[in-house]
Amino acid sequence: MIPAERQNLIVSRLESRGVLSIAELTELLGVSHMTVRRDLQQLERAGRVTTVAGGVQLPEKILTEPSHLAKARLRHGEKVAIGRLAAAMVRPGAVVYLDAGTTTLEIAHALAGRDDISVVTNDFVIASHLMRNAACRLYHTGGEVERENRSCVGDPAAEAVRRFNFDIAFISTSSFGMRGVSTPSENKVAVKRAIVQSADESVLVTDSTKYGKLGTFNAVPLEALSAIVTDAGLPDTVRDAIRRAGITLHIAG
């Protein structure tokens, strides 16, 4: 079989089996481990499969995002560690963007003692926390209000983002893979793309459970990111693939 035929067979078998190991795929296809891994790398870059420990599965489709309150209860310890590590990347005098999210909120907590930076955000919870607890210069983008996530989205928010030159921008997500960052919300796409276009460094901050999930809309390609900050739950094979793509990977914990 040519590579395209093997790859289509892998996807077809995953649709009926859910998860397949590397050993099962080598037996199914009658090829070497190395050939299987090359096929999987191509499929993963195309967003058709997701690597898991010892094997592969189809991406989990994300049709909606949880509310801010629901997300705040999930993986709190990991988010705190990610937030502290990310905050340590902020240089003196930096202009910083904090995307809406509960992981970026932990960055805001860690940055609250800094009075030498400027912070821009589209998140009302982050703005409220910094307004009450920090002395940094603070801006909110405004835009269409998304009540469930307590943030602003859409073209007006994106246009506000484009007015700034960010030294470093921290991007949140509900889903990412080797193709990049995706979202189930079309209104978030313009904002995330504007962030990347306006930043010297674009850093994805996310717990490892978001890997292998796929939203309806592509937002930011993986190669547009400078770095990813996540937790130790990210599989070793995925870590290696991210580093091979030229992206700095920071593991918090």
Side-chain angles (χ1 to χ4, degrees):
M1 286 186 285
I2 64 173
E5 290 175 320
R6 291 196 306 269
Q7 291 164 21
N8 286 335
L9 180 56
I10 291 170
V11 173
S12 175
R13 191 57 60 94
L14 285 171
E15 288 171 347
S16 60
R17 288 283 302 278
V19 180
L20 289 169
S21 69
I22 302 298
E24 287 173 317
L25 288 171
T26 58
E27 183 177 351
L28 170 68
L29 300 171
V31 295
S32 68
H33 279 68
M34 188 63 68
T35 298
V36 168
R37 291 188 185 280
R38 281 198 296 268
D39 284 338
L40 294 181
Q41 287 172 7
Q42 292 179 19
L43 286 168
E44 193 157 24
R45 283 196 296 269
R48 298 179 68 191
V49 304
T50 295
T51 301
V52 294
V56 66
Q57 66 183 26
L58 296 177
E60 179 185 346
K61 296 294 180 67
I62 303 295
L63 301 179
T64 60
E65 288 190 19
S67 68
H68 176 92
L69 287 175
K71 289 188 289 189
R73 301 186 186 104
L74 301 173
R75 311 277 291 185
H76 180 69
E78 288 85 349
K79 291 175 182 178
V80 170
I82 291 167
R84 289 173 178 169
L85 181 54
M89 299 169 67
V90 177
R91 297 183 294 273
V95 180
V96 183
Y97 187 84
L98 295 179
D99 199 10
T102 52
T103 304
T104 44
L105 176 59
E106 295 304 330
I107 302 176
H109 289 165
L111 289 175
R114 299 278 299 270
D115 61 2
D116 63 312
I117 60 175
S118 298
V119 176
V120 183
T121 186
N122 62 332
D123 189 301
F124 290 110
V125 180
I126 290 173
S128 177
H129 176 78
L130 293 176
M131 188 165 53
R132 291 181 285 108
N133 298 287
C136 63
R137 181 170 289 183
L138 179 62
Y139 301 86
H140 194 283
T141 64
E144 179 187 348
V145 175
E146 191 174 74
R147 291 177 175 83
E148 284 291 295
N149 280 298
R150 301 184 180 182
S151 62
C152 284
V153 294
D155 289 335
E159 188 58 36
V161 166
R162 293 189 191 98
R163 296 179 189 145
F164 295 90
N165 294 310
F166 302 116
D167 295 294
I168 189 165
F170 296 103
I171 300 169
S172 63
T173 189
S174 59
S175 49
F176 79 105
M178 292 308 298
R179 184 187 290 183
V181 176
S182 59
T183 174
S185 173
E186 188 173 10
N187 279 341
K188 291 186 176 181
V189 173
V191 177
K192 292 187 187 296
R193 289 180 180 173
I195 296 166
V196 170
Q197 292 164 1
S198 301
D200 289 340
E201 292 184 80
S202 298
V203 181
L204 179 65
V205 288
T206 176
D207 69 77
S208 59
T209 64
K210 308 296 176 55
Y211 183 81
K213 297 181 179 179
L214 184 66
T216 306
F217 302 97
N218 292 318
V220 177
L222 196 72
E223 58 268 22
L225 299 173
S226 310
I228 298 174
V229 184
T230 188
D231 60 71
L234 199 68
D236 289 341
T237 53
V238 177
R239 299 186 196 192
D240 292 341
I242 289 170
R243 290 177 176 129
R244 284 197 302 271
I247 297 160
T248 303
L249 183 63
H250 301 277
I251 303 297

